Amino acid sequence: MLAYRISGTDRTLTCEDIPRPNPLPGEVLVRITACGMNFADLLMQKGTYQDTPALPFTPGLEISGVIEALGPDTDGPTPGTRVAIFGGQGGLAEWGCFPANRCVPIPDSMTDEQAAGFQIAYGTSHLALTHAARLKPGERLVVLGAAGGVGLTAVEIGAQLGAEVIACARGADKLAVAKAAGAHHLIDTDTQDIRETVKAIGGADVVYDAIGGTQFTDAFRATNPGGRMLLIGFASGDLPEIKPNHMLVKNISVHGLYWGGLLKTSPSVVTDSLAALLKMFEAGQITPHISHVLPFDQVPEALDLLRTRRSTGKVVVQTTP
């Protein structure tokens, strides 16, 4: 089968012909139909992601596909079932073996492409806003990187939860996508000052930050007393400086949210969250935004869309058209 691999110490991504795997006990063999791309895939290639596998490995954190076989003595969905799986790796291949307990059956109304990019983005935002920040209706939510893979879902879910959403992104085109997802206020980070603009609107009660760097600092300074800061990621490549004395004086909390970590330490919390999200999807309350769907031979181009921030929402690679 064909698979993209990172094998050498130069960490070059290459397409290789490797043996198709056989499922072990507790695993399922899946014919992969689509793979959702994430910023973490770029970090894995560089070796800087917190869960980077040992060399050699196949990147691709989340997939959709069809179960073809169960491993020995394995309970799981029957062969032929369409599923979405967060595997943490192995997605950029034609077939893969994954833990059976990671399989999430896909509703008939959800496409393979939507399913492939659903779990991480929506799961991260849903748990960040409901479990960590406990966002309440009427509160003011600032989303940094509001047109990105996770940021756009935060806008959408925040609006569904009744928050007043302030979307921060670069340029009119990306802000238009955030507005369509439910944002009430728009801030162009290329031309507007986040701190002053947010304060003029009334300040932030919750900040959802997938960017880091100076944007975190500006949003922190616009956060109201008792506010909550959500650390989701650092797409800017710049870790923000957090001043604990300012947190103390303003009674501000800072929460880190790593969805993959919760999947390991609190799986029932993640399972309940995904069940709630699938109900929201089937009710038409959330609609996954995919800006680019690329064929399997254009994986480098898919990663470059993330690297250069030319995408909005999700980028998905079709393994099987």
Side-chain angles (χ1 to χ4, degrees):
M1 71 173 190
L2 294 179
Y4 282 87
R5 303 281 282 171
I6 297 173
S7 302
T9 54
D10 61 355
R11 310 197 75 85
T12 300
L13 182 71
T14 58
C15 189
E16 303 176 13
D17 192 350
I18 64 174
R20 192 170 78 176
N22 293 311
L24 300 173
E27 292 184 338
V28 295
L29 173 66
V30 177
R31 176 174 58 82
I32 299 170
T33 54
C35 179
M37 306 306 296
N38 291 274
F39 193 78
D41 290 307
L42 297 174
L43 300 179
M44 276 192 179
Q45 184 172 0
K46 293 193 296 184
T48 58
Y49 190 59
Q50 58 261 29
D51 277 342
T52 299
L55 297 173
F57 70 92
T58 296
L61 278 72
E62 56 180 340
I63 60 104
S64 62
V66 178
I67 292 181
E68 293 212 338
L70 304 179
D73 302 318
T74 298
D75 292 325
T78 58
T81 303
R82 296 171 64 235
V83 293
I85 300 174
F86 171 81
Q89 61 173 305
L92 289 173
E94 294 179 302
W95 280 272
C97 291
F98 303 95
N101 60 8
R102 294 281 182 91
C103 293
V104 177
I106 302 171
D108 291 340
S109 57
M110 182 178 281
T111 68
D112 292 339
E113 291 75 24
Q114 289 174 327
F118 188 85
Q119 291 190 75
I120 294 176
Y122 278 104
T124 295
S125 292
H126 186 257
L127 284 177
L129 296 176
T130 63
H131 180 70
R134 303 191 183 277
L135 180 70
K136 296 184 286 291
E139 289 193 306
R140 202 168 290 112
L141 167 66
V142 172
V143 180
L144 306 179
V150 290
L152 193 60
T153 62
V155 170
E156 197 174 10
I157 293 172
Q160 284 293 323
L161 293 173
E164 182 180 350
V165 182
I166 303 172
C168 303
R170 300 178 62 183
D173 290 345
K174 290 187 176 182
L175 288 172
V177 171
K179 183 177 181 180
H184 303 89
H185 308 278
L186 307 174
I187 297 177
D188 188 338
T189 56
D190 277 341
T191 60
Q192 294 175 274
D193 183 282
I194 292 175
R195 179 193 180 194
E196 294 304 323
T197 309
V198 171
K199 288 181 67 176
I201 295 170
D205 298 307
V206 175
V207 174
Y208 181 101
D209 179 21
I211 302 298
T214 59
Q215 289 198 27
F216 171 92
T217 302
D218 292 342
F220 183 95
R221 296 174 71 187
T223 298
N224 295 325
R228 288 89 76 201
M229 303 282 297
L230 294 164
L231 293 178
I232 306 301
F234 313 103
S236 67
D238 185 6
L239 300 181
E241 180 183 350
I242 301 173
K243 296 185 177 180
N245 57 323
H246 292 182
M247 292 171 56
L248 184 152
V249 171
K250 295 178 69 176
N251 289 299
I252 291 176
S253 302
V254 177
H255 303 258
L257 197 290
Y258 171 41
W259 187 83
L262 283 175
L263 190 61
K264 297 174 183 177
T265 61
S266 305
S268 62
V269 172
V270 175
T271 300
D272 292 345
S273 170
L274 286 175
L277 286 164
L278 288 172
K279 287 181 180 179
M280 293 176 70
F281 173 84
E282 294 189 280
Q285 296 173 317
I286 54 177
T287 304
H289 174 86
I290 302 171
S291 66
H292 295 80
V293 177
L294 283 76
F296 192 63
D297 61 358
Q298 293 185 21
V299 165
E301 289 83 353
L303 289 170
D304 195 56
L305 286 168
L306 299 181
R307 185 180 294 109
T308 57
R309 302 185 191 179
R310 288 180 288 128
S311 60
T312 55
K314 294 295 291 188
V315 174
V316 175
V317 169
Q318 285 182 323
T319 303
T320 304

PDB file of all heavy atoms in Angstrom, residues 30-65:
ATOM      1  N   VAL A  30      -8.662  -0.659   8.756  1.00  0.00           N
ATOM      2  CA  VAL A  30      -9.538   0.313   8.121  1.00  0.00           C
ATOM      3  C   VAL A  30      -8.996   0.675   6.746  1.00  0.00           C
ATOM      4  O   VAL A  30      -7.799   0.960   6.598  1.00  0.00           O
ATOM      5  CB  VAL A  30      -9.646   1.597   8.986  1.00  0.00           C
ATOM      6  CG1 VAL A  30     -10.500   2.648   8.286  1.00  0.00           C
ATOM      7  CG2 VAL A  30     -10.239   1.266  10.350  1.00  0.00           C
ATOM      8  N   ARG A  31      -9.887   0.645   5.746  1.00  0.00           N
ATOM      9  CA  ARG A  31      -9.552   1.240   4.447  1.00  0.00           C
ATOM     10  C   ARG A  31      -9.824   2.729   4.570  1.00  0.00           C
ATOM     11  O   ARG A  31     -10.970   3.147   4.730  1.00  0.00           O
ATOM     12  CB  ARG A  31     -10.394   0.626   3.331  1.00  0.00           C
ATOM     13  CG  ARG A  31     -10.151   1.271   1.961  1.00  0.00           C
ATOM     14  CD  ARG A  31     -10.901   0.538   0.862  1.00  0.00           C
ATOM     15  NE  ARG A  31     -12.338   0.491   1.106  1.00  0.00           N
ATOM     16  CZ  ARG A  31     -13.173   1.489   0.823  1.00  0.00           C
ATOM     17  NH1 ARG A  31     -12.728   2.631   0.298  1.00  0.00           N
ATOM     18  NH2 ARG A  31     -14.472   1.345   1.072  1.00  0.00           N
ATOM     19  N   ILE A  32      -8.775   3.508   4.568  1.00  0.00           N
ATOM     20  CA  ILE A  32      -8.889   4.942   4.841  1.00  0.00           C
ATOM     21  C   ILE A  32      -9.431   5.664   3.611  1.00  0.00           C
ATOM     22  O   ILE A  32      -8.931   5.491   2.500  1.00  0.00           O
ATOM     23  CB  ILE A  32      -7.523   5.516   5.254  1.00  0.00           C
ATOM     24  CG1 ILE A  32      -7.028   4.827   6.535  1.00  0.00           C
ATOM     25  CG2 ILE A  32      -7.599   7.029   5.461  1.00  0.00           C
ATOM     26  CD1 ILE A  32      -5.587   5.149   6.897  1.00  0.00           C
ATOM     27  N   THR A  33     -10.468   6.460   3.823  1.00  0.00           N
ATOM     28  CA  THR A  33     -11.052   7.230   2.719  1.00  0.00           C
ATOM     29  C   THR A  33     -10.606   8.683   2.727  1.00  0.00           C
ATOM     30  O   THR A  33     -10.480   9.305   1.675  1.00  0.00           O
ATOM     31  CB  THR A  33     -12.586   7.163   2.766  1.00  0.00           C
ATOM     32  OG1 THR A  33     -13.040   7.570   4.061  1.00  0.00           O
ATOM     33  CG2 THR A  33     -13.071   5.757   2.486  1.00  0.00           C
ATOM     34  N   ALA A  34     -10.377   9.243   3.911  1.00  0.00           N
ATOM     35  CA  ALA A  34      -9.959  10.641   3.995  1.00  0.00           C
ATOM     36  C   ALA A  34      -9.183  10.866   5.282  1.00  0.00           C
ATOM     37  O   ALA A  34      -9.384  10.160   6.279  1.00  0.00           O
ATOM     38  CB  ALA A  34     -11.170  11.579   3.946  1.00  0.00           C
ATOM     39  N   CYS A  35      -8.283  11.854   5.251  1.00  0.00           N
ATOM     40  CA  CYS A  35      -7.467  12.203   6.416  1.00  0.00           C
ATOM     41  C   CYS A  35      -7.557  13.699   6.647  1.00  0.00           C
ATOM     42  O   CYS A  35      -7.299  14.497   5.735  1.00  0.00           O
ATOM     43  CB  CYS A  35      -6.013  11.788   6.183  1.00  0.00           C
ATOM     44  SG  CYS A  35      -4.897  12.186   7.561  1.00  0.00           S
ATOM     45  N   GLY A  36      -7.946  14.102   7.833  1.00  0.00           N
ATOM     46  CA  GLY A  36      -7.977  15.512   8.191  1.00  0.00           C
ATOM     47  C   GLY A  36      -6.588  15.987   8.575  1.00  0.00           C
ATOM     48  O   GLY A  36      -5.908  15.364   9.387  1.00  0.00           O
ATOM     49  N   MET A  37      -6.160  17.103   7.992  1.00  0.00           N
ATOM     50  CA  MET A  37      -4.844  17.641   8.276  1.00  0.00           C
ATOM     51  C   MET A  37      -4.918  18.623   9.448  1.00  0.00           C
ATOM     52  O   MET A  37      -5.889  19.365   9.600  1.00  0.00           O
ATOM     53  CB  MET A  37      -4.279  18.339   7.039  1.00  0.00           C
ATOM     54  CG  MET A  37      -4.272  17.467   5.784  1.00  0.00           C
ATOM     55  SD  MET A  37      -3.427  15.885   6.028  1.00  0.00           S
ATOM     56  CE  MET A  37      -1.761  16.450   6.348  1.00  0.00           C
ATOM     57  N   ASN A  38      -3.869  18.618  10.257  1.00  0.00           N
ATOM     58  CA  ASN A  38      -3.812  19.477  11.437  1.00  0.00           C
ATOM     59  C   ASN A  38      -2.451  20.139  11.535  1.00  0.00           C
ATOM     60  O   ASN A  38      -1.447  19.618  11.030  1.00  0.00           O
ATOM     61  CB  ASN A  38      -4.066  18.640  12.699  1.00  0.00           C
ATOM     62  CG  ASN A  38      -5.486  18.140  12.798  1.00  0.00           C
ATOM     63  OD1 ASN A  38      -6.360  18.825  13.301  1.00  0.00           O
ATOM     64  ND2 ASN A  38      -5.737  16.927  12.315  1.00  0.00           N
ATOM     65  N   PHE A  39      -2.414  21.284  12.226  1.00  0.00           N
ATOM     66  CA  PHE A  39      -1.148  21.973  12.440  1.00  0.00           C
ATOM     67  C   PHE A  39      -0.148  21.061  13.143  1.00  0.00           C
ATOM     68  O   PHE A  39       1.061  21.155  12.934  1.00  0.00           O
ATOM     69  CB  PHE A  39      -1.381  23.249  13.258  1.00  0.00           C
ATOM     70  CG  PHE A  39      -0.210  24.186  13.275  1.00  0.00           C
ATOM     71  CD1 PHE A  39       0.069  25.007  12.191  1.00  0.00           C
ATOM     72  CD2 PHE A  39       0.632  24.244  14.380  1.00  0.00           C
ATOM     73  CE1 PHE A  39       1.160  25.867  12.201  1.00  0.00           C
ATOM     74  CE2 PHE A  39       1.722  25.100  14.407  1.00  0.00           C
ATOM     75  CZ  PHE A  39       1.982  25.916  13.312  1.00  0.00           C
ATOM     76  N   ALA A  40      -0.661  20.137  13.946  1.00  0.00           N
ATOM     77  CA  ALA A  40       0.220  19.201  14.637  1.00  0.00           C
ATOM     78  C   ALA A  40       1.017  18.336  13.668  1.00  0.00           C
ATOM     79  O   ALA A  40       2.121  17.876  13.997  1.00  0.00           O
ATOM     80  CB  ALA A  40      -0.596  18.303  15.575  1.00  0.00           C
ATOM     81  N   ASP A  41       0.480  18.096  12.459  1.00  0.00           N
ATOM     82  CA  ASP A  41       1.234  17.318  11.475  1.00  0.00           C
ATOM     83  C   ASP A  41       2.527  18.029  11.090  1.00  0.00           C
ATOM     84  O   ASP A  41       3.558  17.388  10.858  1.00  0.00           O
ATOM     85  CB  ASP A  41       0.380  17.069  10.234  1.00  0.00           C
ATOM     86  CG  ASP A  41      -0.766  16.102  10.504  1.00  0.00           C
ATOM     87  OD1 ASP A  41      -0.501  15.006  11.018  1.00  0.00           O
ATOM     88  OD2 ASP A  41      -1.917  16.452  10.205  1.00  0.00           O
ATOM     89  N   LEU A  42       2.483  19.362  11.005  1.00  0.00           N
ATOM     90  CA  LEU A  42       3.692  20.129  10.711  1.00  0.00           C
ATOM     91  C   LEU A  42       4.691  20.022  11.853  1.00  0.00           C
ATOM     92  O   LEU A  42       5.899  19.873  11.635  1.00  0.00           O
ATOM     93  CB  LEU A  42       3.336  21.599  10.462  1.00  0.00           C
ATOM     94  CG  LEU A  42       2.445  21.913   9.261  1.00  0.00           C
ATOM     95  CD1 LEU A  42       2.080  23.388   9.252  1.00  0.00           C
ATOM     96  CD2 LEU A  42       3.136  21.521   7.962  1.00  0.00           C
ATOM     97  N   LEU A  43       4.181  20.090  13.080  1.00  0.00           N
ATOM     98  CA  LEU A  43       5.061  19.986  14.243  1.00  0.00           C
ATOM     99  C   LEU A  43       5.670  18.588  14.348  1.00  0.00           C
ATOM    100  O   LEU A  43       6.835  18.427  14.719  1.00  0.00           O
ATOM    101  CB  LEU A  43       4.292  20.325  15.520  1.00  0.00           C
ATOM    102  CG  LEU A  43       3.691  21.733  15.597  1.00  0.00           C
ATOM    103  CD1 LEU A  43       2.941  21.913  16.916  1.00  0.00           C
ATOM    104  CD2 LEU A  43       4.778  22.798  15.457  1.00  0.00           C
ATOM    105  N   MET A  44       4.885  17.567  14.013  1.00  0.00           N
ATOM    106  CA  MET A  44       5.410  16.196  14.023  1.00  0.00           C
ATOM    107  C   MET A  44       6.561  16.042  13.030  1.00  0.00           C
ATOM    108  O   MET A  44       7.558  15.374  13.327  1.00  0.00           O
ATOM    109  CB  MET A  44       4.302  15.204  13.680  1.00  0.00           C
ATOM    110  CG  MET A  44       3.445  14.790  14.844  1.00  0.00           C
ATOM    111  SD  MET A  44       2.427  13.377  14.377  1.00  0.00           S
ATOM    112  CE  MET A  44       1.573  13.085  15.922  1.00  0.00           C
ATOM    113  N   GLN A  45       6.405  16.638  11.852  1.00  0.00           N
ATOM    114  CA  GLN A  45       7.468  16.516  10.861  1.00  0.00           C
ATOM    115  C   GLN A  45       8.763  17.145  11.382  1.00  0.00           C
ATOM    116  O   GLN A  45       9.851  16.634  11.120  1.00  0.00           O
ATOM    117  CB  GLN A  45       7.054  17.160   9.546  1.00  0.00           C
ATOM    118  CG  GLN A  45       8.099  16.959   8.437  1.00  0.00           C
ATOM    119  CD  GLN A  45       7.629  17.423   7.083  1.00  0.00           C
ATOM    120  OE1 GLN A  45       6.517  17.916   6.925  1.00  0.00           O
ATOM    121  NE2 GLN A  45       8.478  17.279   6.079  1.00  0.00           N
ATOM    122  N   LYS A  46       8.625  18.238  12.126  1.00  0.00           N
ATOM    123  CA  LYS A  46       9.811  18.885  12.700  1.00  0.00           C
ATOM    124  C   LYS A  46      10.313  18.176  13.957  1.00  0.00           C
ATOM    125  O   LYS A  46      11.427  18.441  14.420  1.00  0.00           O
ATOM    126  CB  LYS A  46       9.496  20.352  13.033  1.00  0.00           C
ATOM    127  CG  LYS A  46       9.237  21.214  11.818  1.00  0.00           C
ATOM    128  CD  LYS A  46       9.235  22.692  12.161  1.00  0.00           C
ATOM    129  CE  LYS A  46       8.114  23.067  13.087  1.00  0.00           C
ATOM    130  NZ  LYS A  46       8.060  24.534  13.344  1.00  0.00           N
ATOM    131  N   GLY A  47       9.460  17.314  14.532  1.00  0.00           N
ATOM    132  CA  GLY A  47       9.840  16.618  15.764  1.00  0.00           C
ATOM    133  C   GLY A  47       9.599  17.423  17.014  1.00  0.00           C
ATOM    134  O   GLY A  47      10.152  17.098  18.074  1.00  0.00           O
ATOM    135  N   THR A  48       8.736  18.452  16.941  1.00  0.00           N
ATOM    136  CA  THR A  48       8.514  19.329  18.093  1.00  0.00           C
ATOM    137  C   THR A  48       7.143  19.144  18.736  1.00  0.00           C
ATOM    138  O   THR A  48       6.829  19.827  19.710  1.00  0.00           O
ATOM    139  CB  THR A  48       8.668  20.804  17.671  1.00  0.00           C
ATOM    140  OG1 THR A  48       7.742  21.114  16.623  1.00  0.00           O
ATOM    141  CG2 THR A  48      10.081  21.081  17.178  1.00  0.00           C
ATOM    142  N   TYR A  49       6.320  18.236  18.209  1.00  0.00           N
ATOM    143  CA  TYR A  49       4.997  18.008  18.791  1.00  0.00           C
ATOM    144  C   TYR A  49       5.126  17.175  20.051  1.00  0.00           C
ATOM    145  O   TYR A  49       6.018  16.312  20.155  1.00  0.00           O
ATOM    146  CB  TYR A  49       4.097  17.304  17.779  1.00  0.00           C
ATOM    147  CG  TYR A  49       2.648  17.225  18.175  1.00  0.00           C
ATOM    148  CD1 TYR A  49       1.909  18.373  18.427  1.00  0.00           C
ATOM    149  CD2 TYR A  49       2.004  15.988  18.301  1.00  0.00           C
ATOM    150  CE1 TYR A  49       0.575  18.294  18.784  1.00  0.00           C
ATOM    151  CE2 TYR A  49       0.666  15.904  18.653  1.00  0.00           C
ATOM    152  CZ  TYR A  49      -0.038  17.060  18.898  1.00  0.00           C
ATOM    153  OH  TYR A  49      -1.373  16.987  19.263  1.00  0.00           O
ATOM    154  N   GLN A  50       4.229  17.411  21.017  1.00  0.00           N
ATOM    155  CA  GLN A  50       4.354  16.725  22.308  1.00  0.00           C
ATOM    156  C   GLN A  50       4.158  15.216  22.212  1.00  0.00           C
ATOM    157  O   GLN A  50       4.632  14.468  23.072  1.00  0.00           O
ATOM    158  CB  GLN A  50       3.356  17.305  23.328  1.00  0.00           C
ATOM    159  CG  GLN A  50       1.893  17.238  22.906  1.00  0.00           C
ATOM    160  CD  GLN A  50       1.423  18.545  22.338  1.00  0.00           C
ATOM    161  OE1 GLN A  50       2.194  19.316  21.774  1.00  0.00           O
ATOM    162  NE2 GLN A  50       0.133  18.834  22.489  1.00  0.00           N
ATOM    163  N   ASP A  51       3.461  14.748  21.167  1.00  0.00           N
ATOM    164  CA  ASP A  51       3.249  13.313  20.985  1.00  0.00           C
ATOM    165  C   ASP A  51       3.836  12.827  19.666  1.00  0.00           C
ATOM    166  O   ASP A  51       3.239  11.984  18.986  1.00  0.00           O
ATOM    167  CB  ASP A  51       1.750  12.987  21.028  1.00  0.00           C
ATOM    168  CG  ASP A  51       1.232  12.852  22.455  1.00  0.00           C
ATOM    169  OD1 ASP A  51       2.061  12.666  23.368  1.00  0.00           O
ATOM    170  OD2 ASP A  51       0.012  12.932  22.659  1.00  0.00           O
ATOM    171  N   THR A  52       4.993  13.327  19.289  1.00  0.00           N
ATOM    172  CA  THR A  52       5.640  12.878  18.054  1.00  0.00           C
ATOM    173  C   THR A  52       6.090  11.429  18.194  1.00  0.00           C
ATOM    174  O   THR A  52       6.826  11.085  19.114  1.00  0.00           O
ATOM    175  CB  THR A  52       6.856  13.760  17.716  1.00  0.00           C
ATOM    176  OG1 THR A  52       6.423  15.109  17.513  1.00  0.00           O
ATOM    177  CG2 THR A  52       7.533  13.263  16.445  1.00  0.00           C
ATOM    178  N   PRO A  53       5.667  10.532  17.271  1.00  0.00           N
ATOM    179  CA  PRO A  53       6.095   9.129  17.354  1.00  0.00           C
ATOM    180  C   PRO A  53       7.577   8.983  17.028  1.00  0.00           C
ATOM    181  O   PRO A  53       8.198   9.864  16.413  1.00  0.00           O
ATOM    182  CB  PRO A  53       5.232   8.436  16.286  1.00  0.00           C
ATOM    183  CG  PRO A  53       4.134   9.400  15.962  1.00  0.00           C
ATOM    184  CD  PRO A  53       4.703  10.769  16.188  1.00  0.00           C
ATOM    185  N   ALA A  54       8.123   7.847  17.418  1.00  0.00           N
ATOM    186  CA  ALA A  54       9.508   7.523  17.058  1.00  0.00           C
ATOM    187  C   ALA A  54       9.587   7.232  15.560  1.00  0.00           C
ATOM    188  O   ALA A  54       8.633   6.739  14.955  1.00  0.00           O
ATOM    189  CB  ALA A  54       9.995   6.320  17.856  1.00  0.00           C
ATOM    190  N   LEU A  55      10.732   7.539  14.970  1.00  0.00           N
ATOM    191  CA  LEU A  55      10.957   7.239  13.556  1.00  0.00           C
ATOM    192  C   LEU A  55      11.073   5.719  13.358  1.00  0.00           C
ATOM    193  O   LEU A  55      11.603   5.026  14.222  1.00  0.00           O
ATOM    194  CB  LEU A  55      12.243   7.915  13.075  1.00  0.00           C
ATOM    195  CG  LEU A  55      12.270   9.446  13.115  1.00  0.00           C
ATOM    196  CD1 LEU A  55      13.669   9.947  12.771  1.00  0.00           C
ATOM    197  CD2 LEU A  55      11.260  10.036  12.139  1.00  0.00           C
ATOM    198  N   PRO A  56      10.594   5.207  12.217  1.00  0.00           N
ATOM    199  CA  PRO A  56       9.815   5.877  11.178  1.00  0.00           C
ATOM    200  C   PRO A  56       8.327   5.869  11.536  1.00  0.00           C
ATOM    201  O   PRO A  56       7.872   5.002  12.288  1.00  0.00           O
ATOM    202  CB  PRO A  56      10.091   5.025   9.946  1.00  0.00           C
ATOM    203  CG  PRO A  56      10.250   3.644  10.501  1.00  0.00           C
ATOM    204  CD  PRO A  56      10.920   3.809  11.845  1.00  0.00           C
ATOM    205  N   PHE A  57       7.555   6.801  10.986  1.00  0.00           N
ATOM    206  CA  PHE A  57       6.123   6.795  11.252  1.00  0.00           C
ATOM    207  C   PHE A  57       5.379   7.448  10.090  1.00  0.00           C
ATOM    208  O   PHE A  57       5.956   8.154   9.261  1.00  0.00           O
ATOM    209  CB  PHE A  57       5.802   7.521  12.564  1.00  0.00           C
ATOM    210  CG  PHE A  57       6.003   9.015  12.534  1.00  0.00           C
ATOM    211  CD1 PHE A  57       4.964   9.875  12.215  1.00  0.00           C
ATOM    212  CD2 PHE A  57       7.247   9.568  12.842  1.00  0.00           C
ATOM    213  CE1 PHE A  57       5.156  11.256  12.197  1.00  0.00           C
ATOM    214  CE2 PHE A  57       7.449  10.939  12.832  1.00  0.00           C
ATOM    215  CZ  PHE A  57       6.399  11.787  12.504  1.00  0.00           C
ATOM    216  N   THR A  58       4.086   7.180  10.052  1.00  0.00           N
ATOM    217  CA  THR A  58       3.179   7.766   9.072  1.00  0.00           C
ATOM    218  C   THR A  58       2.365   8.844   9.768  1.00  0.00           C
ATOM    219  O   THR A  58       1.627   8.540  10.715  1.00  0.00           O
ATOM    220  CB  THR A  58       2.232   6.694   8.490  1.00  0.00           C
ATOM    221  OG1 THR A  58       3.000   5.734   7.772  1.00  0.00           O
ATOM    222  CG2 THR A  58       1.215   7.317   7.555  1.00  0.00           C
ATOM    223  N   PRO A  59       2.475  10.104   9.370  1.00  0.00           N
ATOM    224  CA  PRO A  59       1.674  11.149  10.006  1.00  0.00           C
ATOM    225  C   PRO A  59       0.208  11.049   9.600  1.00  0.00           C
ATOM    226  O   PRO A  59      -0.179  10.190   8.810  1.00  0.00           O
ATOM    227  CB  PRO A  59       2.328  12.438   9.515  1.00  0.00           C
ATOM    228  CG  PRO A  59       2.971  12.067   8.230  1.00  0.00           C
ATOM    229  CD  PRO A  59       3.366  10.626   8.337  1.00  0.00           C
ATOM    230  N   GLY A  60      -0.590  11.976  10.140  1.00  0.00           N
ATOM    231  CA  GLY A  60      -2.032  11.966   9.904  1.00  0.00           C
ATOM    232  C   GLY A  60      -2.756  11.547  11.156  1.00  0.00           C
ATOM    233  O   GLY A  60      -2.877  10.352  11.450  1.00  0.00           O
ATOM    234  N   LEU A  61      -3.265  12.524  11.923  1.00  0.00           N
ATOM    235  CA  LEU A  61      -3.814  12.238  13.246  1.00  0.00           C
ATOM    236  C   LEU A  61      -5.215  11.648  13.209  1.00  0.00           C
ATOM    237  O   LEU A  61      -5.564  10.846  14.069  1.00  0.00           O
ATOM    238  CB  LEU A  61      -3.850  13.521  14.095  1.00  0.00           C
ATOM    239  CG  LEU A  61      -2.565  13.939  14.798  1.00  0.00           C
ATOM    240  CD1 LEU A  61      -1.536  14.460  13.791  1.00  0.00           C
ATOM    241  CD2 LEU A  61      -2.859  15.015  15.841  1.00  0.00           C
ATOM    242  N   GLU A  62      -6.047  12.059  12.237  1.00  0.00           N
ATOM    243  CA  GLU A  62      -7.455  11.648  12.274  1.00  0.00           C
ATOM    244  C   GLU A  62      -7.931  11.278  10.877  1.00  0.00           C
ATOM    245  O   GLU A  62      -7.542  11.895   9.887  1.00  0.00           O
ATOM    246  CB  GLU A  62      -8.334  12.751  12.868  1.00  0.00           C
ATOM    247  CG  GLU A  62      -8.229  14.095  12.166  1.00  0.00           C
ATOM    248  CD  GLU A  62      -9.109  15.161  12.785  1.00  0.00           C
ATOM    249  OE1 GLU A  62     -10.076  14.838  13.494  1.00  0.00           O
ATOM    250  OE2 GLU A  62      -8.824  16.347  12.538  1.00  0.00           O
ATOM    251  N   ILE A  63      -8.788  10.256  10.831  1.00  0.00           N
ATOM    252  CA  ILE A  63      -9.207   9.730   9.540  1.00  0.00           C
ATOM    253  C   ILE A  63     -10.691   9.374   9.550  1.00  0.00           C
ATOM    254  O   ILE A  63     -11.335   9.282  10.594  1.00  0.00           O
ATOM    255  CB  ILE A  63      -8.394   8.468   9.154  1.00  0.00           C
ATOM    256  CG1 ILE A  63      -8.578   7.341  10.203  1.00  0.00           C
ATOM    257  CG2 ILE A  63      -6.921   8.790   9.022  1.00  0.00           C
ATOM    258  CD1 ILE A  63      -9.496   6.227   9.768  1.00  0.00           C
ATOM    259  N   SER A  64     -11.203   9.180   8.345  1.00  0.00           N
ATOM    260  CA  SER A  64     -12.464   8.464   8.174  1.00  0.00           C
ATOM    261  C   SER A  64     -12.179   7.285   7.263  1.00  0.00           C
ATOM    262  O   SER A  64     -11.225   7.293   6.486  1.00  0.00           O
ATOM    263  CB  SER A  64     -13.539   9.365   7.564  1.00  0.00           C
ATOM    264  OG  SER A  64     -13.155   9.807   6.263  1.00  0.00           O
ATOM    265  N   GLY A  65     -13.007   6.257   7.368  1.00  0.00           N
ATOM    266  CA  GLY A  65     -12.784   5.092   6.533  1.00  0.00           C
ATOM    267  C   GLY A  65     -13.812   4.017   6.788  1.00  0.00           C
ATOM    268  O   GLY A  65     -14.817   4.231   7.478  1.00  0.00           O
TER     269      GLY A  65
END
